[in-house]
Amino acid sequence: MKSKDNMKKAIILLALASFGLTATAQVGSDQSPQVLNERHSEYIPVAQYWREHNIFQHLDLSVSAGTTGIGVDLASPIGDYVQLRAGFDYMPRFTVKMDFDVMVGDEPARKYDANGNRVETRFDRMQDMLYDFTGVTVDDHVDMLGKPTMNNVKLLVDVFPFKNNKHWHFTAGFYWGPSKFAEAVNTTESMNSLIALAIYNNMYDKAYDHLYGSGTPHYIIEVPDPENPDGPKIGLGMDPSMEKRLVDFGRMGFHLGEYAHDIYDANGNLLHAEGDRYMMEANADNMVIVKAKSNSFKPYLGFGYGGRLVKNRDDWKVSFDAGVLFWGGKPDLILHDGINLTTDIKNISGQVGDYVDLFKKVTVYPTLSIRFTKTLF
């Protein structure tokens, strides 16, 4: 009797073991990972779980226009109340005109009497001299063209906090792009004036060095002998009275303001003390360039309101968004000589000063945009 009972037990154990192996094989052969379904308390495929929880089940294509430029993005839900968006914004290239006034020494190129009439200045007298020497009429200012260069990729998360009202949403994320978001460059028409100014300053430097520097006379120009190119050159110099006049007139440049702090060279030597006048000059290519820079990574916070674009159709939508980009405090305005107008120079006057003051005040970039959306599936 005992032997029959033992045999039955063995058969039952073998059957259970066989069922366990079969179940294990079935689980291993299932291509989809298993996820716990909270409603049914059982394991279901991930794809089914995503369908039931509205995760990546739709794809929206949007185009937008606003203060960050013209944009395009793709969006998909990651739940009933959250949407993930990724896209790219491009700022169209338009220009804004501004100008720098020329200074000769410590005197502006333009001066007026009490009645508003223009009076003769050092610049007016030097203008005639430069025309005789170079054949170029030097303007009393240099025109600049500023333009935005902003381009950014963006990754944003929209949250719809109201269960029965999907019109409102709050957005967080970031924009990322080149640190330079705008630049200003002198116009082509101003190139002749910048070249003439460079010629004058080269003459001034040679005269100053002869009178107060090395004492060695410098030639304005040296011409080789056509018949003996390797022989001695013939130089055209300046007599001391002409050198003295040039030095008394002073260098030509653009007085933008005063140094806001001491400026040192790479070896720690003081170049300019706080309060000294800053005179900007063109670079070696006779160009004046200003670059506006911020952080490449810019966090974003905002909100918006949207709804149907076409009556009785949920696949066409329109939304309005507002927010701010945190671009890392005051942006930098870097000149071609390395001077930062935002931090290194103070008391900047004129139109340039107005732009610099505006940049100093705008520590975050406000955004406004309108977005048109089509549901693809």
Side-chain angles (χ1 to χ4, degrees):
M1 191 71 178
K2 289 183 178 180
S3 61
K4 289 183 178 180
D5 292 339
N6 290 335
M7 184 175 295
K8 289 180 179 180
K9 291 179 179 180
I11 291 172
I12 292 172
L13 289 174
L14 288 172
L16 290 173
S18 176
F19 177 78
L21 289 173
T22 303
T24 303
Q26 289 176 347
V27 172
S29 63
D30 195 337
Q31 296 296 322
S32 302
Q34 304 298 312
V35 180
L36 181 64
N37 184 328
E38 296 176 355
R39 288 181 292 179
H40 304 295
S41 298
E42 62 185 18
Y43 286 94
I44 61 173
V46 168
Q48 182 179 339
Y49 180 88
W50 283 8
R51 284 194 299 271
E52 293 181 358
H53 292 79
N54 193 27
I55 300 176
F56 298 126
Q57 297 305 298
H58 306 285
L59 184 66
D60 292 342
L61 173 65
S62 300
V63 292
S64 61
T67 56
T68 56
I70 298 172
V72 60
D73 60 62
L74 292 171
S76 188
I78 51 176
D80 292 333
Y81 302 101
V82 181
Q83 174 180 259
L84 181 66
R85 275 196 290 141
F88 178 79
D89 281 358
Y90 170 82
M91 180 65 73
R93 302 303 190 245
F94 59 89
T95 58
V96 177
K97 193 172 183 179
M98 65 187 80
D99 60 68
F100 292 108
D101 289 333
V102 175
M103 296 279 291
V104 181
D106 58 356
E107 184 181 86
R110 295 189 299 271
K111 292 177 67 176
Y112 302 89
D113 60 20
N115 297 320
N117 300 313
R118 173 115 181 223
V119 298
E120 189 179 47
T121 63
R122 294 179 185 174
F123 174 83
D124 296 325
R125 295 188 289 273
M126 296 307 297
Q127 187 181 50
D128 294 337
M129 185 273 290
L130 285 172
Y131 180 79
D132 288 339
F133 186 71
T134 66
V136 174
T137 300
V138 182
D139 292 328
D140 57 13
H141 66 279
V142 169
D143 291 324
M144 304 283 292
L145 292 179
K147 63 180 179 180
T149 60
M150 185 186 299
N151 301 307
N152 289 288
V153 296
K154 56 187 177 184
L155 183 63
L156 306 171
V157 176
D158 298 319
V159 178
F160 302 85
F162 307 116
K163 183 176 181 180
N164 298 319
N165 185 347
K166 294 299 181 67
H167 295 294
W168 289 99
H169 63 268
F170 295 92
T171 305
F174 68 86
Y175 284 61
W176 184 89
S179 61
K180 186 184 76 170
F181 63 88
E183 68 177 3
V185 181
N186 61 268
T187 63
T188 304
E189 292 78 10
S190 294
M191 283 294 297
N192 286 341
S193 294
L194 290 171
I195 292 172
L197 290 181
I199 293 173
Y200 170 82
N201 284 333
N202 182 53
M203 295 166 57
Y204 172 90
D205 290 339
K206 291 178 177 180
Y208 187 91
D209 186 64
H210 182 212
L211 294 177
Y212 304 107
S214 65
T216 302
H218 299 279
Y219 296 117
I220 298 175
I221 186 171
E222 291 182 297
V223 182
D225 186 348
E227 298 180 359
N228 185 17
D230 297 326
K233 299 177 181 179
I234 300 174
L236 173 64
M238 292 182 284
D239 61 55
S241 62
M242 182 178 179
E243 292 177 337
K244 184 67 167 59
R245 286 190 178 187
L246 279 179
V247 172
D248 289 343
F249 268 106
R251 292 179 65 87
M252 284 191 181
F254 310 94
H255 178 217
L256 296 187
E258 291 76 46
Y259 288 97
H261 55 84
D262 294 343
I263 302 293
Y264 298 89
D265 63 15
N267 298 319
N269 300 314
L270 180 65
L271 294 177
H272 305 283
E274 179 181 353
D276 286 351
R277 297 168 63 250
Y278 171 64
M279 295 288 289
M280 183 190 71
E281 297 180 15
N283 63 14
D285 297 321
N286 296 304
M287 298 284 290
V288 175
I289 302 172
V290 185
K291 297 179 180 180
K293 294 185 176 183
S294 68
N295 289 345
S296 293
F297 180 83
K298 297 170 280 291
Y300 173 84
L301 287 176
F303 66 94
Y305 182 88
R308 289 175 177 173
L309 180 63
V310 180
K311 187 177 181 180
N312 298 326
R313 290 191 61 173
D314 292 328
D315 59 334
W316 283 98
K317 298 177 182 178
V318 61
S319 63
F320 300 89
D321 292 83
V324 291
L325 283 176
F326 299 90
W327 57 11
K330 295 183 293 186
D332 296 320
L333 299 173
I334 310 297
L335 284 164
H336 53 268
D337 58 4
I339 289 294
N340 187 342
L341 293 178
T342 306
T343 58
D344 296 337
I345 307 299
K346 61 183 180 181
N347 301 326
I348 302 175
S349 60
Q351 189 179 20
V352 176
D354 294 338
Y355 282 112
V356 174
D357 290 340
L358 176 63
F359 275 101
K360 286 182 178 180
K361 294 175 182 176
V362 183
T363 56
V364 296
Y365 185 74
T367 67
L368 289 171
S369 65
I370 181 172
R371 183 159 46 96
F372 300 95
T373 301
K374 175 68 172 71
T375 299
L376 301 180
F377 65 83

